[in-house]
Amino acid sequence: MLYYEDIQIDVVQKYGSYEVTKDEVIEFASKYDPQPFHLDEEAAAKTHFGRLSASGWHSAAMMMRMMVDQMNANKQAGLGSPGVENLRWLKPVYPGDTLRCEHVTLEKRRSESRPEMGIMKGKITVLNQHDEKVMTMESTGLIEVRGD
């Protein structure tokens, strides 16, 4: 199990591989972001996207899936997150793209009010198969402390 004490500052973790499909882009958009450029190839071709593109919220959901898969694979003692900051969609994500993540912990500290819990701040970068940054996000994560 990976605990607070095991987390290292400024170490880049690379993980994930998520293939974006047309069907999934349309399904997600139909439920959560039904804008024409996420739903219809013809309509999308007439926009600045030039073709069907994934919702930014879909990109965030795909990143979350890769991140949770990584935490589960490492058996991390995660306790959730109180939030994110500076979420940026830098480039469109298209069907056929393959996404991956890079994560770096920027700082960590023990909670003063709950010393059994650690608080970490990190930055996640999502890249496509061309190593182009498509999304960045800063997050705060909570993790169990192994203890003394």
Side-chain angles (χ1 to χ4, degrees), residues 26 33 56 63 77 91 96 106 112 114 130 137 141:
I26 293 170
D33 193 356
M63 177 275 309
K91 289 184 81 69
L106 303 172
E112 291 179 21
R114 299 189 65 193
H130 304 294
M137 179 182 83

PDB file of all heavy atoms in Angstrom, residues 26 33 56 63 77 91 96 106 112 114 130 137 141:
ATOM      1  N   ILE A  26     -19.614  10.746 -28.883  1.00  0.00           N
ATOM      2  CA  ILE A  26     -21.017  11.070 -29.122  1.00  0.00           C
ATOM      3  C   ILE A  26     -21.887  10.660 -27.938  1.00  0.00           C
ATOM      4  O   ILE A  26     -22.778  11.425 -27.514  1.00  0.00           O
ATOM      5  CB  ILE A  26     -21.499  10.419 -30.433  1.00  0.00           C
ATOM      6  CG1 ILE A  26     -20.777  11.072 -31.624  1.00  0.00           C
ATOM      7  CG2 ILE A  26     -23.011  10.523 -30.584  1.00  0.00           C
ATOM      8  CD1 ILE A  26     -20.986  10.360 -32.955  1.00  0.00           C
ATOM      9  N   ASP A  33     -23.036  16.999 -22.625  1.00  0.00           N
ATOM     10  CA  ASP A  33     -22.566  18.228 -23.280  1.00  0.00           C
ATOM     11  C   ASP A  33     -23.036  18.236 -24.733  1.00  0.00           C
ATOM     12  O   ASP A  33     -22.226  18.170 -25.651  1.00  0.00           O
ATOM     13  CB  ASP A  33     -21.039  18.309 -23.192  1.00  0.00           C
ATOM     14  CG  ASP A  33     -20.482  19.677 -23.564  1.00  0.00           C
ATOM     15  OD1 ASP A  33     -21.267  20.565 -23.970  1.00  0.00           O
ATOM     16  OD2 ASP A  33     -19.254  19.858 -23.469  1.00  0.00           O
ATOM     17  N   GLY A  56     -14.683  18.867 -23.323  1.00  0.00           N
ATOM     18  CA  GLY A  56     -13.625  19.026 -22.329  1.00  0.00           C
ATOM     19  C   GLY A  56     -13.931  18.228 -21.069  1.00  0.00           C
ATOM     20  O   GLY A  56     -13.029  17.679 -20.430  1.00  0.00           O
ATOM     21  N   MET A  63      -9.246  11.378 -18.178  1.00  0.00           N
ATOM     22  CA  MET A  63      -8.085  11.565 -17.300  1.00  0.00           C
ATOM     23  C   MET A  63      -8.342  10.935 -15.942  1.00  0.00           C
ATOM     24  O   MET A  63      -7.484  10.243 -15.391  1.00  0.00           O
ATOM     25  CB  MET A  63      -7.792  13.064 -17.147  1.00  0.00           C
ATOM     26  CG  MET A  63      -6.645  13.410 -16.208  1.00  0.00           C
ATOM     27  SD  MET A  63      -7.045  13.524 -14.441  1.00  0.00           S
ATOM     28  CE  MET A  63      -8.432  14.616 -14.396  1.00  0.00           C
ATOM     29  N   ALA A  77      -3.394   4.558  -0.836  1.00  0.00           N
ATOM     30  CA  ALA A  77      -4.337   4.741   0.263  1.00  0.00           C
ATOM     31  C   ALA A  77      -5.049   6.090   0.145  1.00  0.00           C
ATOM     32  O   ALA A  77      -5.112   6.873   1.080  1.00  0.00           O
ATOM     33  CB  ALA A  77      -3.600   4.628   1.599  1.00  0.00           C
ATOM     34  N   LYS A  91      -5.920  21.871 -26.153  1.00  0.00           N
ATOM     35  CA  LYS A  91      -6.097  21.460 -27.548  1.00  0.00           C
ATOM     36  C   LYS A  91      -7.310  20.529 -27.602  1.00  0.00           C
ATOM     37  O   LYS A  91      -7.568  19.813 -26.641  1.00  0.00           O
ATOM     38  CB  LYS A  91      -4.877  20.699 -28.078  1.00  0.00           C
ATOM     39  CG  LYS A  91      -3.634  21.554 -28.294  1.00  0.00           C
ATOM     40  CD  LYS A  91      -2.508  20.753 -28.915  1.00  0.00           C
ATOM     41  CE  LYS A  91      -2.630  20.586 -30.386  1.00  0.00           C
ATOM     42  NZ  LYS A  91      -2.451  21.738 -31.234  1.00  0.00           N
ATOM     43  N   GLY A  96      -9.899   8.822 -32.216  1.00  0.00           N
ATOM     44  CA  GLY A  96      -8.653   8.311 -32.771  1.00  0.00           C
ATOM     45  C   GLY A  96      -7.428   8.720 -31.970  1.00  0.00           C
ATOM     46  O   GLY A  96      -6.366   8.113 -32.104  1.00  0.00           O
ATOM     47  N   LEU A 106       3.524  18.482  -6.238  1.00  0.00           N
ATOM     48  CA  LEU A 106       4.230  19.752  -6.047  1.00  0.00           C
ATOM     49  C   LEU A 106       4.541  20.030  -4.583  1.00  0.00           C
ATOM     50  O   LEU A 106       5.560  20.632  -4.254  1.00  0.00           O
ATOM     51  CB  LEU A 106       3.395  20.897  -6.621  1.00  0.00           C
ATOM     52  CG  LEU A 106       3.014  20.765  -8.095  1.00  0.00           C
ATOM     53  CD1 LEU A 106       2.017  21.852  -8.494  1.00  0.00           C
ATOM     54  CD2 LEU A 106       4.256  20.804  -8.968  1.00  0.00           C
ATOM     55  N   GLU A 112      -3.445  19.450   9.854  1.00  0.00           N
ATOM     56  CA  GLU A 112      -3.350  19.854  11.252  1.00  0.00           C
ATOM     57  C   GLU A 112      -4.546  19.361  12.048  1.00  0.00           C
ATOM     58  O   GLU A 112      -4.403  18.943  13.201  1.00  0.00           O
ATOM     59  CB  GLU A 112      -3.234  21.381  11.347  1.00  0.00           C
ATOM     60  CG  GLU A 112      -1.903  21.900  10.820  1.00  0.00           C
ATOM     61  CD  GLU A 112      -1.808  23.414  10.888  1.00  0.00           C
ATOM     62  OE1 GLU A 112      -2.553  24.036  11.673  1.00  0.00           O
ATOM     63  OE2 GLU A 112      -0.979  23.972  10.154  1.00  0.00           O
ATOM     64  N   ARG A 114      -6.586  16.808  11.158  1.00  0.00           N
ATOM     65  CA  ARG A 114      -6.737  15.350  11.044  1.00  0.00           C
ATOM     66  C   ARG A 114      -5.361  14.751  10.734  1.00  0.00           C
ATOM     67  O   ARG A 114      -5.059  14.451   9.584  1.00  0.00           O
ATOM     68  CB  ARG A 114      -7.745  15.025   9.952  1.00  0.00           C
ATOM     69  CG  ARG A 114      -9.127  15.600  10.270  1.00  0.00           C
ATOM     70  CD  ARG A 114     -10.190  15.136   9.359  1.00  0.00           C
ATOM     71  NE  ARG A 114     -10.376  13.706   9.531  1.00  0.00           N
ATOM     72  CZ  ARG A 114     -11.079  12.963   8.696  1.00  0.00           C
ATOM     73  NH1 ARG A 114     -11.641  13.498   7.653  1.00  0.00           N
ATOM     74  NH2 ARG A 114     -11.215  11.680   8.901  1.00  0.00           N
ATOM     75  N   HIS A 130       0.776  12.540 -30.005  1.00  0.00           N
ATOM     76  CA  HIS A 130       1.834  13.376 -30.591  1.00  0.00           C
ATOM     77  C   HIS A 130       2.612  14.121 -29.508  1.00  0.00           C
ATOM     78  O   HIS A 130       3.365  15.049 -29.808  1.00  0.00           O
ATOM     79  CB  HIS A 130       1.229  14.377 -31.578  1.00  0.00           C
ATOM     80  CG  HIS A 130       0.425  13.740 -32.658  1.00  0.00           C
ATOM     81  ND1 HIS A 130       0.963  12.922 -33.626  1.00  0.00           N
ATOM     82  CD2 HIS A 130      -0.906  13.781 -32.903  1.00  0.00           C
ATOM     83  CE1 HIS A 130      -0.002  12.502 -34.434  1.00  0.00           C
ATOM     84  NE2 HIS A 130      -1.145  12.995 -34.003  1.00  0.00           N
ATOM     85  N   MET A 137      -4.351  20.328 -15.175  1.00  0.00           N
ATOM     86  CA  MET A 137      -5.188  20.541 -14.007  1.00  0.00           C
ATOM     87  C   MET A 137      -4.318  20.447 -12.764  1.00  0.00           C
ATOM     88  O   MET A 137      -3.421  19.614 -12.691  1.00  0.00           O
ATOM     89  CB  MET A 137      -6.270  19.462 -13.964  1.00  0.00           C
ATOM     90  CG  MET A 137      -7.200  19.532 -12.791  1.00  0.00           C
ATOM     91  SD  MET A 137      -8.405  18.188 -12.814  1.00  0.00           S
ATOM     92  CE  MET A 137      -7.439  16.871 -12.077  1.00  0.00           C
ATOM     93  N   GLY A 141      -5.190  16.281  -3.277  1.00  0.00           N
ATOM     94  CA  GLY A 141      -5.585  14.930  -2.942  1.00  0.00           C
ATOM     95  C   GLY A 141      -5.366  14.651  -1.463  1.00  0.00           C
ATOM     96  O   GLY A 141      -4.473  15.225  -0.839  1.00  0.00           O
TER      97      GLY A 141
END
